[in-house]
Short mmCIF file of all heavy atoms in Angstrom, two decimals:
data_model
loop_
_atom_site.label_atom_id
_atom_site.label_comp_id
_atom_site.label_asym_id
_atom_site.label_seq_id
_atom_site.Cartn_x
_atom_site.Cartn_y
_atom_site.Cartn_z
N ALA H 240 -83.96 116.19 13.12
CA ALA H 240 -83.40 117.27 12.32
C ALA H 240 -82.05 116.87 11.73
O ALA H 240 -81.77 117.12 10.55
CB ALA H 240 -83.25 118.52 13.19
N ALA H 241 -81.22 116.22 12.53
CA ALA H 241 -79.89 115.81 12.06
C ALA H 241 -80.01 114.78 10.94
O ALA H 241 -79.32 114.87 9.92
CB ALA H 241 -79.08 115.24 13.23
N GLN H 242 -80.92 113.82 11.12
CA GLN H 242 -81.07 112.78 10.10
C GLN H 242 -81.65 113.36 8.81
O GLN H 242 -81.21 113.03 7.71
CB GLN H 242 -81.97 111.66 10.63
CG GLN H 242 -82.01 110.44 9.73
CD GLN H 242 -80.62 109.80 9.53
OE1 GLN H 242 -79.95 109.49 10.49
NE2 GLN H 242 -80.21 109.64 8.27
N ALA H 243 -82.63 114.27 8.94
CA ALA H 243 -83.25 114.85 7.75
C ALA H 243 -82.24 115.67 6.94
O ALA H 243 -82.22 115.61 5.70
CB ALA H 243 -84.44 115.73 8.16
N ALA H 244 -81.40 116.44 7.63
CA ALA H 244 -80.40 117.23 6.92
C ALA H 244 -79.38 116.33 6.23
O ALA H 244 -78.99 116.56 5.08
CB ALA H 244 -79.71 118.18 7.89
N LEU H 245 -78.98 115.26 6.92
CA LEU H 245 -78.03 114.33 6.31
C LEU H 245 -78.67 113.60 5.12
O LEU H 245 -78.01 113.34 4.12
CB LEU H 245 -77.54 113.33 7.35
CG LEU H 245 -76.46 112.36 6.86
CD1 LEU H 245 -75.20 113.10 6.41
CD2 LEU H 245 -76.11 111.35 7.95
N ASP H 246 -79.96 113.33 5.23
CA ASP H 246 -80.65 112.69 4.11
C ASP H 246 -80.63 113.58 2.86
O ASP H 246 -80.59 113.08 1.73
CB ASP H 246 -82.11 112.36 4.49
CG ASP H 246 -82.19 111.19 5.46
OD1 ASP H 246 -81.18 110.49 5.65
OD2 ASP H 246 -83.28 110.99 6.04
N GLU H 247 -80.66 114.90 3.06
CA GLU H 247 -80.57 115.80 1.89
C GLU H 247 -79.21 115.68 1.23
O GLU H 247 -79.09 115.75 0.01
CB GLU H 247 -80.83 117.25 2.30
CG GLU H 247 -82.30 117.55 2.43
CD GLU H 247 -82.60 119.05 2.38
OE1 GLU H 247 -81.71 119.86 2.00
OE2 GLU H 247 -83.73 119.40 2.74
N VAL H 248 -78.17 115.53 2.04
CA VAL H 248 -76.83 115.32 1.49
C VAL H 248 -76.83 114.05 0.65
O VAL H 248 -76.32 114.01 -0.47
CB VAL H 248 -75.78 115.23 2.62
CG1 VAL H 248 -74.43 114.77 2.08
CG2 VAL H 248 -75.65 116.56 3.33
N GLY H 249 -77.43 112.99 1.21
CA GLY H 249 -77.50 111.72 0.49
C GLY H 249 -78.28 111.87 -0.81
O GLY H 249 -77.87 111.33 -1.85
N ALA H 250 -79.37 112.63 -0.77
CA ALA H 250 -80.19 112.81 -1.97
C ALA H 250 -79.42 113.58 -3.04
O ALA H 250 -79.68 113.42 -4.24
CB ALA H 250 -81.48 113.55 -1.61
N LEU H 251 -78.48 114.40 -2.62
CA LEU H 251 -77.64 115.14 -3.58
C LEU H 251 -76.48 114.28 -4.08
O LEU H 251 -75.67 114.72 -4.89
CB LEU H 251 -77.08 116.41 -2.93
CG LEU H 251 -78.09 117.52 -2.63
CD1 LEU H 251 -77.44 118.60 -1.77
CD2 LEU H 251 -78.60 118.12 -3.93
N GLY H 252 -76.37 113.06 -3.55
CA GLY H 252 -75.31 112.15 -3.99
C GLY H 252 -74.06 112.22 -3.13
O GLY H 252 -73.01 111.70 -3.51
N GLY H 253 -74.18 112.86 -1.96
CA GLY H 253 -73.00 113.03 -1.12
C GLY H 253 -72.98 112.08 0.06
O GLY H 253 -74.03 111.58 0.48
N ASP H 254 -71.79 111.81 0.58
CA ASP H 254 -71.77 111.07 1.83
C ASP H 254 -70.89 111.75 2.87
O ASP H 254 -70.09 112.62 2.57
CB ASP H 254 -71.47 109.59 1.63
CG ASP H 254 -70.03 109.31 1.28
OD1 ASP H 254 -69.23 110.25 1.24
OD2 ASP H 254 -69.71 108.13 1.05
N GLY H 255 -71.15 111.35 4.11
CA GLY H 255 -70.46 111.97 5.23
C GLY H 255 -71.26 111.79 6.49
O GLY H 255 -72.06 110.86 6.60
#
Side-chain angles (χ1 to χ4, degrees):
Q242 189 60 53
L245 184 61
D246 287 347
E247 279 199 13
V248 170
L251 290 170
D254 73 3

